[in-house]
Amino acid sequence: MGTDHFVRITRLRALIEHENTGAGERATAQRMLDRLLRKSLGDKTSHGSPDRVYGSRHDRPGRHASTASIVESVREDIAFARDFAPSGAPGELIVHSPLAAAPAELTVAVSTPFADQIVVTIENIPSVWGWEADEFDRITATRDLRRLAAELAEIIDSYNHDGSDVGPRFFRTIRAQQTTLIR
């Protein structure tokens, strides 16, 4: 451990143990000390408190990236998933992607109406593929449309983080624009 770390650790411990330190300042100093100790011990896997959850692509656009740049990365991932169709050799498993299996006329629009919200809108959904009526004439989403929405949510959540000491980086909304069901 270098001398600089030793001095910082000593000062943070003194601040934490001092009787005139306020509760908020003490808690902040404790978090800083915990982070410094983790870094000095070589723990590169944890970004913060143990209950924080980071998406698999959280660091891809950058730690302090704007929501607009995250939206661009999400759009790129969606475009790649729509075009990518893995072809397996005989006997190999084929990965099913609801985005790749979606009808060609279906469109997915990604926007950020507010600084901390990402909205995905699924449009031009063929009635036969996306909607079904139950015995009470209620129109519900088909299993294929629900799988598509789940895959889109997974892509977006891979850029997010959440935890007890930090809120989510952004909130997501997935909408499906229903066209009229013809009978």
Side-chain angles (χ1 to χ4, degrees):
M1 190 172 358
T3 320
D4 186 41
H5 285 285
F6 178 74
V7 171
R8 293 174 83 191
I9 289 171
T10 305
R11 288 182 180 164
L12 285 170
R13 284 187 175 153
L15 183 63
I16 292 168
E17 295 169 0
H18 196 275
E19 61 188 35
N20 292 333
T21 303
E25 191 176 8
R26 181 174 284 119
T28 302
Q30 184 64 50
R31 285 193 306 272
M32 290 173 69
L33 178 63
D34 292 343
R35 187 173 341 141
L36 186 60
L37 288 173
R38 270 193 310 276
K39 284 183 181 179
S40 66
L41 295 175
D43 181 15
K44 305 291 186 206
T45 59
S46 176
H47 293 284
S49 73
D51 67 335
R52 279 193 197 178
V53 178
Y54 287 83
S56 60
R57 295 181 181 125
H58 178 267
D59 294 329
R60 182 176 163 201
R63 182 176 176 185
H64 301 290
S66 67
T67 310
S69 62
I70 294 171
V71 165
E72 287 303 315
S73 296
V74 168
R75 285 182 183 140
E76 290 170 4
D77 289 352
I78 291 171
F80 178 76
R82 294 275 325 244
D83 294 336
F84 180 72
S87 59
E92 287 184 356
L93 291 176
I94 297 175
V95 178
H96 175 71
S97 169
L99 270 168
E105 63 266 17
L106 184 135
T107 58
V108 178
V110 184
S111 64
T112 177
F114 304 107
D116 60 347
Q117 183 180 21
I118 295 177
V119 177
V120 176
T121 307
I122 307 168
E123 298 176 312
N124 300 328
I125 304 168
S127 298
V128 177
W129 184 85
W131 307 103
E132 60 189 3
D134 63 7
E135 64 271 8
F136 302 107
D137 286 335
R138 291 180 297 197
I139 298 175
T140 59
T142 61
R143 186 174 58 153
D144 291 332
L145 184 56
R146 287 192 303 268
R147 284 183 181 168
L148 176 64
E151 183 176 8
L152 291 169
E154 185 179 322
I155 289 172
I156 295 169
D157 289 344
S158 69
Y159 291 96
N160 213 345
H161 64 68
D162 201 0
S164 64
D165 63 336
V166 63
R169 188 175 195 175
F170 54 83
F171 298 95
R172 69 160 160 79
T173 304
I174 298 179
R175 299 179 179 149
Q177 297 292 333
Q178 179 184 357
T179 56
T180 57
L181 187 66
I182 301 172
R183 291 191 181 230

